[in-house]
Amino acid sequence: MTYKTAPSIELRPATEADQAFLQRLYTSTRGTEFRLHGCDAATEAMLQTVQFKAQQTDFQLQYPDAEATIIFERERPIGRLYVQYSDNEVRLIDITLLPEYRGRGIGRGLLRGLQAHGQRLHLPVRLNVLLGNPAQRLCQRCDFIMQGLDGLYAAMEWRPS
């Protein structure tokens, strides 16, 4: 199923054919703070591939029923959205955009869409965000409340009215 969240943004289920894009997207999130100093480019690329596959495996094990979608703008893949729906919550597992699409309101629109869905279902929307990540401020602007810490992550929640 393909659906729109804004005039130029569409989501569709991720498929095996999206793996190369998803790996490129994952690599785009690895800023200089994640670079392995002293490694040659081939070793760094190999380690990022291992980390990408580990993250995918972790998501599949922790959230086997999650909806994994690709975010498109004008038919170009620009990100991913993983959401787990259960009887007691809407769980945002991951939202990632290519760097050139960040700060344009796309993430906010997707969060607001999840909140609207939570409102219809009468369920809270919950997520964990790395402390200090700019997404934490975005979540706060979208009325998510910090519920506590989970290691290096802020556990946040939005409740329907």
Side-chain angles (χ1 to χ4, degrees):
M1 166 175 67
T2 299
Y3 56 98
K4 292 182 180 270
T5 63
S8 65
I9 301 298
E10 294 185 6
L11 303 175
R12 71 145 172 80
T15 67
E16 192 61 35
D18 295 310
Q19 288 303 300
F21 167 73
L22 289 169
Q23 183 159 356
R24 183 170 60 93
L25 179 67
Y26 176 84
T27 300
S28 79
T29 67
R30 301 317 201 207
T32 56
E33 67 274 15
F34 293 103
R35 293 268 146 55
L36 302 169
H37 301 289
C39 283
D40 59 58
T43 301
E44 189 172 335
M46 184 270 306
L47 290 171
Q48 286 182 349
T49 297
V50 169
Q51 291 171 336
F52 166 70
K53 289 179 180 180
Q55 182 188 62
Q56 283 196 312
T57 300
D58 184 53
F59 285 168
Q60 290 167 354
L61 290 173
Q62 285 192 52
Y63 306 102
D65 299 322
E67 290 183 8
T69 57
I70 304 297
I71 306 164
F72 284 84
E73 182 180 60
R74 295 181 180 88
E75 300 182 21
R76 178 175 182 219
I78 64 166
R80 69 179 181 187
L81 178 70
Y82 291 165
V83 180
Q84 171 90 27
Y85 296 94
S86 69
D87 292 339
N88 63 343
E89 72 177 359
V90 175
R91 168 67 59 177
L92 175 56
I93 301 161
D94 184 64
I95 182 171
T96 304
L97 295 168
L98 289 170
E100 61 268 28
Y101 291 92
R102 297 176 195 154
R104 294 179 33 194
I106 297 168
R108 183 184 66 232
L110 292 166
L111 280 177
R112 293 295 190 198
L114 286 174
Q115 289 171 318
H117 202 63
Q119 184 74 37
R120 283 189 299 277
L121 296 171
H122 306 289
L123 293 174
V125 179
R126 296 185 179 120
L127 57 89
N128 289 354
V129 62
L130 185 65
L131 292 170
N133 185 317
Q136 186 177 359
R137 288 190 309 279
L138 170 62
C139 292
Q140 290 168 330
R141 287 193 310 269
C142 289
D143 304 317
F144 282 80
I145 305 294
M146 183 136 139
Q147 299 295 305
L149 297 176
D150 183 7
L152 297 174
Y153 293 85
M156 302 185 81
E157 176 181 87
W158 172 87
R159 290 199 162 270
S161 53

